[in-house]
């Protein structure tokens, strides 16, 4: 009997030798549960590049026209044709604004030129409706005028546009510089450009509104002179007589 107890005790010791301890068992379970990616460092996400403001304007794709100034009450942002529809690129928006600003400036000069050129007889005895005055300019003066306009346009192109390189498929064709604000070519002889962002946005909105009005006004004057071949003041005097009940052709009838 004693021998049987010794043999049983020996077998029990052998079994315990191959039985894992609680610590070992828990370590094994934790090793199985742990993910192999826990010790892997996640790559750092680079921060978004900081966009430098241009005249206080920072392009924002969530805003109409990328946040460019020019919208006023009561219409607010007015784009019925959809030139600045959703999804348009920033470069296209800047090109549209560049065209609007430059055409507005030309129209403001043209509106003043129509009225001043018809009110006062210019050099080379140029007179009559403004639509008919350009062909009265002598050829040498016309060449000088053409070279002046070409020089101004070339200067604007070198300031605002990227130098084209490559063939027709090049991305540098018809592309404005990233740091170029549409219409700001650095020409400010009177120092009227505001230094702060709010002041610049206000001044830019005023220029845009006056330019838009001038484009409509110049188009009206040009169309009117194409129809009746009379100057602005002659047309004004004509309709002044009509609305006053006076026959505008009375002087012509009396002279016949």
């Amino acid at each position: 009997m004693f021998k049987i107890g010794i043999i049983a005790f020996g077998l029990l010791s052998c079994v315990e030798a191959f039985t894992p301890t609680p610590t070992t068992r828990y370590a094994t379970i934790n090793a199985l549960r742990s993910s192999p990616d826990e010790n892997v460092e996640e790559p750092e996400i680079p921060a978004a590049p900081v966009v430098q403001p241009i005249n206080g304007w920072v392009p924002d794709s969530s805003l109409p026209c990328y946040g460019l100034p020019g919208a006023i009450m009561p219409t607010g942002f007015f784009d019925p044709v959809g030139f600045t529809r959703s999804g348009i690129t920033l470069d296209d928006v800047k090109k549209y604004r560049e065209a609007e600003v430059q055409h507005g400036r030309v129209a403001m000069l043209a509106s003043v030129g129509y009225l001043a050129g018809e009110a006062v007889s210019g050099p080379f005895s140029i007179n009559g409706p403004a639509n008919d005055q350009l062909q009265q300019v002598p050829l040498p003066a016309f060449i000088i005028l053409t070279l002046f306009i070409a020089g101004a346009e070339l200067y604007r192109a070198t300031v605002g546009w990227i130098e084209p390189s490559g063939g027709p498929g090049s991305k540098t064709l018809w592309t404005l510089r990233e740091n170029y604000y549409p219409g700001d070519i650095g020409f400010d002889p009177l120092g009227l450009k505001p230094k702060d962002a709010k002041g610049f946005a206000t001044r830019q909105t005023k220029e845009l509104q006056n330019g838009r009005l001038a484009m409509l006004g110049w188009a009206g004057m040009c169309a009117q002179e194409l129809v009746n071949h009379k100057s602005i003041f002659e047309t004004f005097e004509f309709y002044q007589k009509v609305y006053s009940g006076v026959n505008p052709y009375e002087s012509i009838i009396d002279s016949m």
Side-chain angles (χ1 to χ4, degrees):
M1 187 68 182
F2 181 75
K3 291 181 178 181
I4 295 174
I6 294 175
I7 293 172
F9 181 78
L11 292 174
L12 181 63
S13 300
C14 294
V15 171
E16 288 180 354
F18 289 96
T19 302
T21 62
T23 305
T24 307
R25 182 168 61 251
Y26 294 148
T28 305
I29 295 173
N30 292 334
L32 294 174
R33 289 180 178 178
S34 63
S35 172
D37 296 333
E38 288 184 357
N39 297 327
V40 178
E41 296 183 359
E42 296 182 358
E44 296 183 0
I45 301 176
V50 179
V51 180
Q52 295 296 328
I54 312 173
N55 292 329
W57 167 66
V58 178
D60 188 350
S61 59
S62 64
L63 297 176
C65 211
Y66 282 82
L68 281 170
I72 61 172
M73 296 301 293
T75 59
F77 179 70
F78 184 73
D79 184 21
V81 181
F83 285 111
T84 56
R85 60 194 176 277
S86 177
I88 190 172
T89 64
L90 175 59
D91 186 67
D92 286 339
V93 169
K94 291 173 65 175
K95 283 189 288 188
Y96 286 146
R97 176 52 58 87
E98 172 80 4
E100 183 181 25
V101 171
Q102 297 298 340
H103 283 83
R105 291 169 178 171
V106 172
M108 285 187 282
L109 292 174
S111 298
V112 175
Y114 261 65
L115 299 175
E118 294 177 353
V120 180
S121 179
F124 313 114
S125 301
I126 298 175
N127 51 30
N131 283 6
D132 301 332
Q133 291 186 4
L134 186 61
Q135 54 265 39
Q136 301 179 36
V137 177
L139 182 59
F142 185 83
I143 293 175
I144 294 175
L145 177 63
T146 303
L147 292 176
F148 174 78
I149 296 174
E153 287 298 309
L154 286 174
Y155 173 76
R156 182 171 69 90
T158 56
V159 171
W161 301 77
I162 295 178
E163 291 76 8
S165 60
S170 174
K171 294 183 179 180
T172 59
L173 288 173
W174 319 112
T175 304
L176 290 172
R177 302 184 190 276
E178 292 184 0
N179 60 344
Y180 174 69
Y181 188 92
D184 186 8
I185 59 175
F187 181 75
D188 185 25
L190 300 179
L192 299 177
K193 178 182 176 181
K195 303 300 181 182
D196 60 302
K198 184 178 180 181
F200 182 86
T202 302
R203 182 64 58 85
Q204 175 80 137
T205 301
K206 292 179 179 178
E207 182 184 25
L208 284 166
Q209 295 300 326
N210 284 278
R212 291 162 181 168
L213 180 61
M215 284 188 281
L216 292 174
W218 172 82
M221 290 188 290
C222 181
Q224 172 253 298
E225 292 192 359
L226 288 173
V227 171
N228 61 7
H229 299 282
K230 294 183 180 295
S231 66
I232 304 299
F233 294 105
E234 289 176 339
T235 303
F236 179 79
E237 183 181 359
F238 177 87
Y239 284 104
Q240 188 178 32
K241 292 180 179 180
V242 170
Y243 291 116
S244 300
V246 179
N247 185 2
Y249 301 106
E250 183 178 0
S251 58
I252 299 176
I253 296 174
D254 293 341
S255 61
M256 293 178 63

